[in-house]
Amino acid sequence: MISQKIQSVRGMNDILPDEAEFWDLFDETIRSWLKSYGYRPLRLPIVEPTPLFKRAIGEVTDIVEKEMYSFVDSLNGEPLTLRPEGTAGCVRAVIEHNLIAQQPQRLYYMGPMFRHERPQKGRYRQFHQVGVEALGFPGPDIDAEQILMGARLWDDLGLDGISLQLNTLGQFAERASHRAELITYFERHSESLDADATRRLHSNPLRILDSKNPALEELIHGAPKLIDYLGAESMAHFEGVQRVLRDAGLPFEINPRLVRGLDYYNLTVFEWVTDRLGAQGTVCAGGRYDGLVQQLGGKPAPACGFAMGVERLISLIRDAGGEVRAAAVDVYLVHQGIAASRLAARVAEGLRDRGIDVLFHCGGGSFKSQMKKADASGAGFAVIVGDDEAAAGAVTLKPLRATGEQPNPQKRVSVDAVADEIMSSILDWDET
Ligand code: ATP
Ligand code: MG
């Protein structure tokens, strides 16, 4: 009987070696970029208590209403959720471990997030984010720094065509008066609202501004603008951010419809968008969330941060022709016969001691078939051990990549000399 195949969960993808090597390289770039701005890593749980997200993200948001993978721990009845984003967990950890009691912190994390959305290009149910958070900094300087960080990263990654959209959400009280006016306005036009907007009208009217329904375009265009309700302090913060961006020569567009899908934001919000990914054009989004630390039970502290969609960025890099050569090993170790295999195993470990990467042939087979595998592996050398070599305490070293005019013949090398021989050839190659 043939058993039925089990497949991955819809919207949750395997990342196979060719792709995963690319991801590793991407991670390295990300880590050194973050280090250059003084950010330090955090590793956080993937599962958190469900109330964390309800309280942080807001009950009336797409994420909490319909996108969370929530379940009850069958052993103790605890309501749990696979994290749909990282800020809530990061702030929970910062409070739990008292991280900002002495000084502000620049922190980052990366890893999978989970949202039950309709899978399509650039939108998955398990996707990956790099999250960057600065806690304890009140001024617009850090908002601007985080925005400028983005610009540098696109450069580091060789990406162009990513542009900056900026807005301010003001403070809670300012939003409240704007919200009242917004409700009045949309109520006057209730016959033109779609089902989503009607549902949001009293719970989260700001989100109507974010609607992607073209039929609402004109109505939204004429809606009261939050910026007209901002006080002097909020305006000064917004101006402060813009000043740094202008000084740095970074172009941006102020988009009054940019409201973000999570409730915890105030003042600065921003998104980095591209038109090269179809409908899923936002690669990075963030802003200030001064109320969240207190909302989650900590001593009030200002904060701001952003998150990047790794799948979307990687697909942009790929489309721009960014390639990564599969990281081949240095040596493929070919061996046959009992004594030869034992010597080969010792040689392999000796080479690894010297920092040389070795793929040790497993599974037997003729010299000919092993040599084929060696060629296909992309290794720079085959190290061959047969009965003759084993008897002589030596190996045959065969360069697999011809360089220059030299034919690079294979040669017999003593076991003790093989590492040096390989190292010096690698150096020669690097010079040419
Ligand atoms: P969108 O409007 O595309 O749904 P969002 O506002 O829900 O995005 P955020 O919560 O701000 O997204 O997450 C930050 C970034 O994470 C997004 O800009 C995007 O690049 C990425 N992202 C969000 N949801 C997904 C997903 N389901 N699949 C892949 N990437 C995602
Ligand atoms: Mg979303």
Side-chain angles (χ1 to χ4, degrees):
M1 196 188 88
I2 296 173
S3 303
Q4 187 121 41
K5 266 191 286 187
I6 296 179
Q7 293 192 310
S8 68
V9 176
R10 188 165 130 81
M12 304 198 181
N13 301 316
D14 300 312
I15 298 161
L16 303 180
D18 278 347
E19 188 76 4
E21 277 168 351
F22 198 93
W23 281 56
D24 283 352
L25 213 77
F26 176 84
D27 286 358
E28 275 172 40
T29 307
I30 294 289
R31 288 185 192 285
S32 66
W33 161 69
L34 284 162
K35 190 160 168 280
S36 79
Y37 283 89
Y39 279 79
R40 300 182 64 205
L42 259 185
R43 293 183 186 240
L44 299 163
I46 284 171
V47 177
E48 295 276 3
T50 303
L52 172 68
F53 300 115
K54 291 196 173 166
R55 222 203 285 176
I57 300 171
E59 297 266 5
V60 201
T61 55
D62 280 348
I63 294 180
V64 171
E65 276 181 341
K66 54 187 187 200
E67 293 175 359
M68 292 210 301
Y69 282 91
S70 296
F71 57 99
V72 172
D73 184 328
S74 62
L75 296 178
N76 62 8
E78 195 181 356
L80 300 175
T81 294
L82 299 185
R83 63 182 186 193
E85 54 96 60
T87 302
C90 174
V91 170
R92 178 204 48 71
V94 162
I95 297 169
E96 191 166 327
H97 304 284
N98 230 348
L99 287 188
I100 50 174
Q102 309 303 327
Q103 58 188 23
Q105 294 278 350
R106 287 177 167 89
L107 303 168
Y108 76 90
Y109 47 84
M110 29 218 273
M113 307 292 163
F114 303 83
R115 296 184 194 177
H116 200 280
E117 304 199 67
R118 193 171 68 77
Q120 52 198 291
K121 185 176 173 346
R123 192 174 293 287
Y124 311 99
R125 290 181 173 172
Q126 173 175 325
F127 62 99
H128 297 74
Q129 284 186 340
V130 177
V132 181
E133 321 279 4
L135 297 107
F137 299 92
D141 48 357
I142 191 92
D143 311 30
E145 183 186 85
Q146 289 194 335
I147 292 170
L148 292 176
M149 285 173 74
R152 176 173 300 278
L153 180 63
W154 316 145
D155 229 45
D156 289 355
L157 294 172
L159 294 174
D160 54 15
I162 303 181
S163 60
L164 175 63
Q165 305 234 317
L166 188 65
N167 192 22
T168 178
L169 298 181
Q171 301 292 13
F172 186 78
E174 297 157 344
R175 281 221 293 280
S177 31
H178 170 247
R179 182 192 148 108
E181 289 300 315
L182 206 57
I183 294 177
T184 312
Y185 171 83
F186 283 126
E187 269 174 349
R188 273 210 315 275
H189 300 90
S190 58
E191 72 292 342
S192 327
L193 297 179
D194 61 13
D196 240 15
T198 306
R199 197 166 44 84
R200 293 244 145 84
L201 181 54
H202 292 279
S203 58
N204 198 351
L206 203 59
R207 288 283 283 147
I208 301 178
L209 301 180
D210 196 24
S211 164
K212 278 154 193 140
N213 182 354
L216 295 184
E217 178 97 40
E218 209 177 319
L219 186 62
I220 289 170
H221 191 75
K225 304 222 171 358
L226 177 59
I227 199 148
D228 298 327
Y229 295 77
L230 299 187
E233 251 183 72
S234 295
M235 282 313 280
H237 191 100
F238 196 35
E239 297 290 347
V241 175
Q242 293 178 54
R243 194 176 322 116
V244 181
L245 301 184
R246 278 196 215 98
D247 285 352
L250 182 71
F252 57 88
E253 183 194 336
I254 294 180
N255 176 1
R257 289 179 56 173
L258 186 65
V259 299
R260 311 286 305 113
L262 303 85
D263 273 2
Y264 50 59
Y265 288 105
N266 68 312
L267 292 175
T268 317
V269 288
F270 63 91
E271 288 193 1
W272 287 98
V273 296
T274 171
D275 54 15
R276 295 182 193 164
L277 289 173
Q280 270 56 250
T282 305
V283 294
C284 173
R288 187 159 274 282
Y289 51 93
D290 294 328
L292 188 59
V293 177
Q294 182 174 28
Q295 202 174 309
L296 293 179
K299 275 226 314 263
C304 66
F306 61 93
M308 300 185 291
V310 175
E311 281 82 358
R312 293 183 194 179
L313 281 173
I314 285 189
S315 130
L316 271 185
I317 300 169
R318 287 266 198 225
D319 291 351
E323 260 310 322
V324 56
R325 200 173 36 156
V329 293
D330 301 311
V331 168
Y332 195 100
L333 226 155
V334 170
H335 54 94
Q336 199 181 43
I338 292 172
S341 295
R342 290 174 71 182
L343 178 62
R346 273 212 331 269
V347 169
E349 285 305 320
L351 292 176
R352 292 184 190 115
D353 284 343
R354 297 284 303 273
I356 296 167
D357 299 339
V358 182
L359 216 160
F360 186 81
H361 180 81
C362 287
S366 67
F367 274 123
K368 196 168 157 214
S369 78
Q370 290 190 38
M371 282 308 298
K372 262 198 193 144
K373 293 202 167 82
D375 277 323
S377 74
F381 302 88
V383 168
I384 304 160
V385 191
D387 290 338
D388 289 357
E389 284 91 351
V395 306
T396 296
L397 181 63
K398 183 175 197 286
L400 297 176
R401 285 186 228 134
T403 52
E405 290 108 68
Q406 293 124 309
N408 277 326
Q410 64 180 48
K411 59 179 164 188
R412 182 72 68 95
V413 184
S414 82
V415 166
D416 295 333
V418 63
D420 284 333
E421 191 72 32
I422 289 171
M423 296 295 267
S424 70
S425 302
I426 290 177
L427 287 179
D428 285 352
W429 287 355
D430 287 348
E431 272 159 31
T432 52

